[in-house]
Amino acid sequence: MEIPKNIFQYDWAAMSATDQRAFFAKNGFLVIPQLFTPEEVDLMHKEIEQYGLAEKKIDMSEAFCSAPSFAPMVDHPKLVSALTSILGSNFICFKGAYVPKHSKQGVSDPHRTALHVDYGILEREGDYRNSNALWVNVACYLSDMTFEHAPFAVVPGSHNYFHLEPGTDMESLKEEAVTLLAKAGDAILFLHNTVHAGGSNVSGYTQHILFCSYRAAWARHIGRVTEWPKQFVENSPPSRQRLISGLNAGDAQEELPAVVKRYVPASVLKKSAETLSTLGKYSKAKSLTRLGDRLWAAYEKRVE
């Protein structure tokens, strides 16, 4: 699939908070230039190599928490300021990931993936993190983009195309797509239902990307989600703890009987919670969902 030849250019550095809010509302995306300085990006590359993150087969969130230089992205003042303009002052960072995009072997022509939205696709069963009504993905690139080095394609204004169905063919919009050539340290923000596509990496070297996802505090997930690692939260400064604590707050207000919390095996609690959450989702029975949430809370308390 062809990368859009129309390169989108804008004076991102000159934008005020009001400008950012207006631009995002109209286009569904935004760029924050130099979220990280060249020196900070260099440190990230060193830690990626030091911890062998590009080659490790571990959970993306675990990799994100491994390198000390990654964590400041969560509550970076420039990012928090932009998100406040977009989401208001009350939002939560519910997901972080480090993603290495290796160069494709034997492929030389630049191309992209299919146009898509990030809502309603690729979620594993029982993974409810993306199941909220309003969230913003943030991708921070640790190297300069070129047409060969996986540029980002986006369809401006497509977050207002309410006829689009997640998981369907959106290539009819390819003539409206533009290409963003981010620099190392730049961050691209885009709404969960903004149509976009990543480029394929044919540059000969690995592209490194950090992702954080933020939701409005009111936009609760439809089921219980995995909290950030306890040690990661406890070792974070207050400004970061505020954004990564209590992802399931409000989900388990009612107490289970003490005999259940104390004597039911953890494996049974987990399986029961998964089953009830799934049944509650498809039957729309809130009582089942609430009971599943309470069992999840008991399970997590047991395994802490």
Side-chain angles (χ1 to χ4, degrees):
M1 298 175 179
E2 187 178 12
I3 295 173
K5 291 185 170 56
N6 184 10
I7 300 175
F8 192 92
Q9 295 180 317
Y10 204 89
D11 188 1
W12 306 107
M15 297 179 80
S16 66
T18 302
D19 295 333
Q20 289 178 327
R21 179 169 60 251
F23 184 93
F24 192 89
K26 178 181 178 180
N27 296 283
F29 73 94
L30 178 70
V31 175
I32 301 178
Q34 289 296 282
L35 186 70
F36 291 109
T37 66
E39 293 75 20
E40 290 170 327
V41 172
D42 285 344
L43 176 59
M44 290 175 178
H45 281 289
K46 290 176 182 177
E47 290 186 353
I48 289 170
E49 184 175 353
Q50 177 184 350
Y51 295 102
L53 298 180
E55 309 303 330
K56 280 187 176 179
K57 301 297 182 184
I58 58 176
D59 179 81
M60 292 188 297
S61 293
E62 183 182 344
F64 184 92
C65 298
S66 297
S69 61
F70 291 179
M73 178 178 172
V74 172
D75 58 334
H76 194 290
K78 284 186 179 179
L79 182 53
V80 168
S81 175
L83 289 167
T84 300
S85 297
I86 295 166
L87 295 173
S89 60
N90 196 8
F91 54 86
I92 289 171
C93 181
F94 64 91
K95 184 169 57 174
Y98 158 70
V99 179
K101 186 178 284 189
H102 299 287
S103 182
K104 292 196 171 185
Q105 300 296 320
V107 180
S108 58
D109 294 330
H111 59 285
R112 60 169 172 82
T113 59
L115 291 169
H116 63 280
V117 296
D118 280 353
Y119 183 81
I121 61 170
L122 300 179
E123 292 93 349
R124 295 171 297 181
E125 185 172 352
D127 184 353
Y128 298 112
R129 289 177 297 178
N130 292 354
S131 67
N132 60 84
L134 179 63
W135 54 284
V136 174
N137 239 343
V138 183
C140 183
Y141 294 85
L142 304 186
S143 51
D144 292 349
M145 283 183 177
T146 64
F147 273 77
E148 292 76 21
H149 198 50
F152 186 86
V154 63
V155 179
S158 55
H159 62 306
N160 291 320
Y161 294 178
F162 300 115
H163 64 286
L164 296 178
E165 181 180 346
T168 61
D169 186 353
M170 298 181 182
E171 285 302 309
S172 60
L173 301 175
K174 64 182 180 182
E175 298 303 323
E176 300 179 42
V178 298
T179 294
L180 297 178
L181 293 178
K183 298 292 186 182
D186 289 355
I188 299 176
L189 289 68
F190 55 100
L191 203 61
H192 68 275
N193 60 341
T194 298
V195 179
H196 64 281
S200 291
N201 184 6
V202 296
S203 65
Y205 55 99
T206 301
Q207 183 188 61
H208 305 279
I209 315 169
L210 298 184
F211 286 96
C212 281
S213 299
Y214 299 81
R215 67 168 174 85
W218 58 263
R220 283 173 50 187
H221 312 277
I222 64 171
R224 196 163 185 83
V225 299
T226 303
E227 298 278 354
W228 284 88
K230 184 177 180 180
Q231 186 175 6
F232 182 73
V233 175
E234 291 178 345
N235 291 340
S236 296
S239 61
R240 195 172 305 147
Q241 286 186 1
R242 179 182 67 83
L243 296 176
I244 60 178
S245 300
L247 304 190
N248 296 289
D251 282 355
Q253 298 297 325
E254 302 172 64
E255 283 293 317
L256 288 168
V259 67
V260 173
K261 295 189 292 183
R262 186 175 303 170
Y263 296 113
V264 175
S267 59
V268 175
L269 288 172
K270 181 180 180 183
K271 185 63 177 178
S272 299
E274 292 173 342
T275 301
L276 288 169
S277 295
T278 301
L279 288 174
K281 173 185 175 182
Y282 289 108
S283 67
K284 298 183 179 179
K286 292 183 179 179
S287 60
L288 292 178
T289 301
R290 285 196 297 268
L291 180 54
D293 291 343
R294 290 156 63 194
L295 289 169
W296 265 116
Y299 165 74
E300 290 183 342
K301 187 74 173 177
R302 183 77 62 79
V303 299
E304 279 184 358

